[in-house]
Every structure is written in C-alpha cells, then in structure tokens.
Amino acid sequence: MPSEAVTTLQPVPMLDFARQFSQIREEILAAVESVCTSQRFILGPEVSSFERAAAEACSVAHGIGCASGTDALWLALAAAHIGDSTEAVPAATSDAVITSPFSFFATASAILRAGAKPIFADIEPLTFNLSAASVQTAIEANPHLNVKAVLPVHLYGQCADWDSFTALQRNHPGLLLIEDAAQAFGATWNGAPAGSLGDAACFSFYPTKNLSAIGDAGLVTTKSPTLAERASMLRAHGMRRRYFHDEIGWNSRLDTIQAAVLEIKLKHLPAWNQQRRDLAARYNQLFLAAGLLSSSGAIADGLVLPYTHPRAQHVFHQYVIRAPRRDELREFLTQRKIGTEVYYPLPLHLQESLASLGYRAGDFPESERAAAEVLALPMYPELREDEQQTVVEAIRSFYA
Ligand SMILES: *Cc1c(COP(=O)(O)O)cnc(C)c1O
C-alpha cells in the first residue's frame, strides 16, 4: 500500500510562476510593449510612477527604485552616511550595524559593502526575527564600536517586533533603524506597513519575492526627504547635475520595464497576500487534523507551525515549519516530487566568507537551532487545496 501511494501522489512544486503569469499575461505584455515603444529603458516615467505607488502603499513620502534588494540595503546605509563607501578617501571608521545572522547573505554583505562592520545578535525562536533584547546586549558588548544602525529583517513575511525596536531606539538617541523588508511587501506591524516602520526600508523584487519583477529590482522607502535625496543621487553615480559627481555613488538604476511590471503587480498584491494567509490557515488546519503537532512547542515532540505575533499581519512570503529529522523529511518529500527549501541552512556568522568577523559555532544558539530545524513548504497564491493535502499527507506518512 505505501509504495502504491508513492507512485500515485501528484508532484507539488515549491513554486510555479506560470500560474500567476497566465492570469496577468495581457497586462504585463502590454506594459512591456509600451516601454519598448517609448525606448526609455532606464529611469523612464514608469519608474517615478512605480516609486510613487510603492511609497503610497508603504505609507511613506519617498520610494527610490534601484537595481536589487542588495543594492537597496547598500543605498539605505550609504544614504545615512553609515560606513565610508561613498568617500573617495575612506575614513578610519568603526561604524557598525547590528543585524540577524538568520537571514539571506545580502543582509550582512551589504553592511560590509557600505564600509561598516556587521555585528550579529540572536533571533527570537517563535518568529525567527532579530531579538531587540539580544541587540541591546550586543550594543553593551561592543562599546569600542560606533553602532550607527540596527537592521532587523522581516523574515518570511512577518515584521520584526517593532515595539521593542522603537523602545531600543528611544534608549539610544541617534541610532537608526533600517528594515530589511525584502520578504515583506504588504506586511504590517500594529497596522503600519513594512517600509514605514524604520528610518528607511529596503525591498527586493527578485522573481521569487511576494512582489516580484521579471528580473532584478529593488526599492528603498523612507519618510526622510534627506535620505531619499541622497539615495537617489547615490544610485546614479553621485550626480545631482548631469556629469557633475558630488560623491562616488554607484550605478544602481532601475529598469523601466521592471518598474512598469511592478506597478501592475502592486495592484494585485493585496489579493495575493490574502491568498497566502488563507493558504497558511489551511496548512495549519490540515496539520492539526493530521495530529502531527508538538503539544509542548519543542520539536522533539512534533512539528511546530509558523507563529504569527498578534500585532503582526503576516504575508507568508514563506510558510516555514520546524520539523523533527528535518533533512530526512526533506529527502523523503523530494523523492515524492514535493518541493521544499531551507531558508537558511547555515547562519551568517558561520559562513566561510565572514570568518574574519570572528564568530564561532554556539554564539547564536537560536539561529543555529533554526538553521537545523526549519523547512519551507510550497507557498504561492495559486497553490491549490489538493496540493496542500498532498504535502501534508506525505509528511504524515513520513512520521507514521
Ligand atoms: C532577497 C533578499 C535580499 C536580497 O535581494 P536581491 O534583490 O536578491 O538582491 C536581501 N535580504 C533578504 C532578507 C532577502 O530575502
């Protein structure tokens, strides 16, 4: 019976972008054609139009489009004069930025690119987001460094606990809060959108993100006219006047085609994010019905489902469980053509390229535990109920 069940199970891909494209194909192709007709491929009128629409969706005055989420992080830091990356002669700086080691690599590498030092602090086990209490400890442990900013990540589509970060900022006047909101367009904290919580925020529109371009693209949002003006100057080689370079800057301009596509998708995003929440709720019900859940919250005892903080509205960029024998489970699902992913298997403080920061295994136990236990299941707005049932049934049979 089990072997027969294996062969009759349908494959469930981790992602299937073709389903969404088929719904909006005409709109997207018309927008691309219109940009081709205009031949204004770089920073064309659609870029300003998308920047305004995105800023409005985030309840802020300014949006600055750029080439990627990684660049958005660099631009926000450089615009705030963190690090020395825009100076022709680097200053002897000891600027530092505190962030989460349980994130995509760019969160830390952008800090280094800006010319500052990343300092890590551990995460909260329930949400996987940076812990403000650990950040406070890290500030106290590094009195010789000039901690200029904290860079919380809204991981998996849920905002970091912004009440705690606001309190932290109150106790450290001058400290900036910059959001890595790459996974969280449309998420809110106490009703306020990601992108409006910090002094600046950074979005990625990489094709797998919940708001996605048809290539690379990114955005900085901010309430501050000063930061906005600096970021837009730095993304175009430090020019305010054409060919007069006030600062070093970089080329991180946004393609017009990407902006035109993003503005169309932005209109659909609230509905897509709601579909993701509905799918998450259905996964929860299916797991509950399958009797697989940990009663103690410890994974030795069973699966742990995603936790949503009561003040957060999650957008489920990812639906991530903690699973006993995670790697074996993943292998079992792969054999049954059920897509899964591990975001992220190795915390940043243990990455070889960051060894010079001097961290060791054991420094951030919650991040290390999460890296060993998390498993992201198929999640995108067009995922079907029968596919979710297939996923949960396969997981049930693994633990049976
Ligand atoms: C995707 C992502 C980035 C980087 O964005 P790119 O557009 O790929 O450069 C940064 N931080 C987080 C948390 C991300 O998920």
Side-chain angles (χ1 to χ4, degrees):
M1 198 50 191
S3 59
E4 187 184 327
V6 167
T7 52
T8 55
L9 278 177
Q10 61 174 339
V12 184
M14 183 65 185
L15 286 166
D16 181 358
F17 298 114
R19 297 184 198 180
Q20 185 163 94
F21 182 62
S22 71
Q23 291 169 16
I24 56 171
R25 182 189 168 90
E26 304 309 320
E27 283 178 281
I28 299 287
L29 293 183
V32 171
E33 183 173 11
S34 145
V35 175
C36 291
T37 304
S38 80
Q39 291 286 306
R40 297 179 66 179
F41 292 118
I42 303 286
L43 296 179
E46 288 84 352
V47 171
S48 343
S49 166
F50 169 66
E51 288 173 336
R52 273 193 305 275
E56 196 189 329
C58 294
S59 303
V60 292
H62 309 281
I64 304 95
C66 62
S68 69
T70 306
D71 276 7
L73 290 163
W74 174 80
L75 268 176
L77 295 166
H81 294 281
I82 293 166
D84 55 16
S85 67
T86 65
E87 307 294 320
V89 181
T93 179
S94 56
D95 285 358
V97 177
I98 303 183
T99 193
S100 168
F102 194 57
S103 181
F104 179 60
F105 185 68
T107 308
S109 66
I111 297 170
L112 287 159
R113 279 278 176 254
K117 182 181 160 82
I119 295 179
F120 294 118
D122 213 351
I123 57 169
E124 289 175 356
L126 281 177
T127 61
F128 304 103
N129 280 327
L130 184 63
S131 149
S134 306
V135 170
Q136 174 63 37
T137 308
I139 292 174
E140 287 161 12
N142 289 280
H144 55 294
L145 290 176
N146 188 5
V147 177
K148 286 256 184 92
V150 181
L151 181 50
V153 182
H154 304 324
L155 201 71
Y156 305 149
Q158 170 163 236
C159 290
D161 177 349
W162 219 260
D163 291 7
S164 312
F165 285 107
T166 307
L168 183 88
Q169 191 174 38
R170 223 178 291 122
N171 293 332
H172 299 274
L175 185 72
L176 294 179
L177 296 179
I178 300 179
E179 303 164 60
D180 183 340
Q183 303 185 0
F185 207 112
T188 66
W189 179 264
N190 275 337
S196 73
L197 303 172
D199 297 283
C202 312
F203 290 97
S204 163
F205 306 122
Y206 183 78
T208 62
K209 306 291 167 158
N210 69 319
L211 176 59
S212 63
I214 54 175
D216 274 313
L219 182 83
V220 175
T221 58
T222 180
K223 298 183 190 96
S224 157
T226 321
L227 284 179
E229 196 278 332
R230 270 188 67 74
S232 63
M233 179 264 298
L234 291 169
R235 79 168 166 190
H237 288 299
M239 286 191 287
R240 289 193 170 86
R241 259 197 307 157
R242 204 163 174 78
Y243 304 131
F244 290 80
H245 300 271
D246 304 342
E247 296 191 46
I248 305 295
W250 198 242
N251 168 13
S252 185
R253 299 171 301 225
L254 177 58
D255 285 7
T256 313
I257 285 180
Q258 301 305 341
V261 168
L262 284 164
E263 191 165 356
I264 289 167
K265 291 200 183 181
L266 183 59
K267 296 192 188 97
H268 295 280
L269 189 66
W272 290 336
N273 282 343
Q274 186 55 48
Q275 283 172 279
R276 289 172 179 275
R277 281 189 288 272
D278 294 346
L279 290 166
R282 193 188 288 147
Y283 265 134
N284 291 350
Q285 286 163 8
L286 290 169
F287 279 119
L288 191 64
L292 292 171
L293 301 189
S294 163
S295 52
S296 64
I299 77 151
D301 182 29
L303 297 177
V304 179
L305 300 186
Y307 169 83
T308 302
H309 192 288
R311 297 204 177 108
Q313 191 178 41
H314 207 311
V315 293
F316 290 98
H317 171 58
Q318 300 295 346
Y319 181 90
V320 177
I321 60 173
R322 289 189 196 251
R325 298 189 282 135
R326 190 266 320 267
D327 293 335
E328 271 175 76
L329 170 63
R330 187 169 187 219
E331 181 53 36
F332 179 88
L333 295 172
T334 303
Q335 279 166 12
R336 279 153 187 77
K337 300 198 163 44
I338 293 173
T340 57
E341 194 46 87
V342 174
Y343 306 108
Y344 296 92
L346 185 65
L348 301 181
H349 67 287
L350 302 178
Q351 297 285 345
E352 195 166 320
S353 59
L354 301 180
S356 65
L357 295 175
Y359 290 106
R360 287 190 310 267
D363 284 347
F364 303 107
E366 290 301 344
S367 299
E368 292 165 31
R369 189 171 308 142
E373 294 177 354
V374 295
L375 189 66
L377 303 181
M379 170 54 83
Y380 50 99
E382 302 76 22
L383 185 69
R384 297 190 313 266
E385 180 165 5
D386 60 296
E387 292 173 314
Q388 292 189 284
Q389 282 167 349
T390 300
V391 173
V392 174
E393 176 50 30
I395 295 175
R396 199 198 55 72
S397 69
F398 173 78
Y399 290 113

